[in-house]
């Protein structure tokens, strides 16, 4: 089983993905700008399964076999660019959404290359960037008893990297992998997160994406 590092893994999104990955047997390293903070956050997570969650500086997380980017959108490119050497040749998963709050709604922002996944891919030319986990509410991810039964929409230009991420997602409790296609879908998939969060604010809910008509 491979190791997974999460850049910005101390936030709600990183913690939610970490606990489900560890419950699937992965050894997860929560990355942070502050290794002591990451160690403390990791110690609070109690996965059920053979895997583990530990904490480290983002540099340590970037040394894992697969690396997830879970920082705020406006620090994602700077964070990965500083770690370019460690990330070379690896699958890098972006779950980053560029969003802005406007009253009771979230609205999508469009980075120069159309999406955060494309921004990260441009910053890391020698990696295989795959998008996943964008629409999952962290609150439902972190609680292993939340009854989560969500689809995870996956995209990227490298077919084998997409398949590899899909296998990882399928192994995580409560999640099903749905490969959507290439990086050309990234802006639509990321922007749809604004719709999901706005629905949750309006309806005081923690809903998530579950596509009808697919046979898993
Ligand atoms: N929250 C969700 O439900 C959810 C669901 C799906 C996708 N996402 C996406 O996942 C990403 C993380 O979401 P989140 O809610 O966990 O965000 P967050 O709590 O705001 O940030 C995550 C972590 O990023 C690090 N960070 C903050 N500012 C930074 C900076 N300027 N430079 C480098 N690192 C910084 C912090 O870790 P340290 O202080 O320890 O370094 C923080 O704990 C976002 O892009 C979001 O759109 C979120």
């Amino acid at each position: 089983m491979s190791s997974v590092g999460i850049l910005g893994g101390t936030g709600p999104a990183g913690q939610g993905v970490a606990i489900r990955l560890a419950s699937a047997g992965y050894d997860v390293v929560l990355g942070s700008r502050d290794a002591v903070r990451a160690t403390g956050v990791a110690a609070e997570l109690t996965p059920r399964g053979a895997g583990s969650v530990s904490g480290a500086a983002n540099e340590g997380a970037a040394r894992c076999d697969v690396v997830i980017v879970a920082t705020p959108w406006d620090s994602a490119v700077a964070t990965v660019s500083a770690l370019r050497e460690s990330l070379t040749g690896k699958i890098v998963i972006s779950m980053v959404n560029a969003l802005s709050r406007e009253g009771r709604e979230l609205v999508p922002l469009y980075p120069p290359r159309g999406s955060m996944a494309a921004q990260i891919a441009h910053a890391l030319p020698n990696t295989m960037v795959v998008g996943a986990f964008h629409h999952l509410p962290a609150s439902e991810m972190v609680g292993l008893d939340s009854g989560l039964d969500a689809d995870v929409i996956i995209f990227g230009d490298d077919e084998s990297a997409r398949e590899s991420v899909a296998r990882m997602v399928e192994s995580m409790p409560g999640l099903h992998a749905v490969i959507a296609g290439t990086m050309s879908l990234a802006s639509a998939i990321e922007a749809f997160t604004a719709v999901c969060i706005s629905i949750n604010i309006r309806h005081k809910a923690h809903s998530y994406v579950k596509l009808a008509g697919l046979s898993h």
Side-chain angles (χ1 to χ4, degrees), residues 114-115 118 155-157 180-189:
S115 67
F155 61 87
D157 285 342
T182 66
M183 189 66 86
S184 59
L185 300 173
S187 60
I189 290 168

Side-chain angles (χ1 to χ4, degrees), residues 7-15 31-34 37-38 41 58 69-76 78-79 95-99 116 132-139 141 193 197:
L7 309 178
T10 54
Q15 291 182 48
S32 170
R33 293 167 294 179
D34 176 348
R37 169 170 148 73
V41 172
N58 280 327
V69 189
T71 67
W73 70 272
D74 50 359
S75 51
T79 301
M95 62 185 297
V96 181
N97 301 296
L99 304 173
M116 287 311 303
F133 304 122
H134 294 87
H135 310 127
L136 296 169
S139 56
M141 287 284 282
T193 310
I197 300 175

Side-chain angles (χ1 to χ4, degrees), residues 186-210:
S187 60
I189 290 168
E190 292 179 14
F192 186 64
T193 310
V195 181
C196 298
I197 300 175
S198 297
I199 288 170
N200 283 340
I201 293 170
R202 181 168 293 274
H203 295 274
K204 299 184 174 56
H206 299 279
S207 71
Y208 45 79
V209 172
K210 181 78 183 162

Side-chain angles (χ1 to χ4, degrees), residues 75-186:
S75 51
V77 168
T79 301
V80 300
S81 297
L83 302 168
R84 194 175 283 135
E85 208 171 304
S86 299
L87 298 174
T88 295
K90 294 181 182 173
I91 294 175
V92 173
I93 301 173
S94 172
M95 62 185 297
V96 181
N97 301 296
L99 304 173
S100 173
R101 180 108 190 200
E102 304 265 333
R104 291 183 68 220
E105 290 187 346
L106 271 285
V107 295
L109 302 172
Y110 292 94
R113 293 178 192 279
S115 67
M116 287 311 303
Q119 294 292 127
I120 289 168
H122 183 254
L124 300 175
N126 299 315
T127 64
M128 292 150 286
V129 175
V130 174
F133 304 122
H134 294 87
H135 310 127
L136 296 169
S139 56
E140 301 306 288
M141 287 284 282
V142 83
L144 289 172
D145 294 322
S146 66
L148 186 69
D149 178 23
D151 286 334
V152 175
I153 298 177
I154 295 168
F155 61 87
D157 285 342
D158 187 292
E159 189 179 353
S160 70
R162 281 190 320 239
E163 295 284 350
S164 175
V165 173
R167 283 192 295 277
M168 172 187 283
V169 168
E170 278 295 325
S171 73
M172 296 166 72
L175 302 182
H176 304 284
V178 179
I179 294 177
T182 66
M183 189 66 86
S184 59
L185 300 173

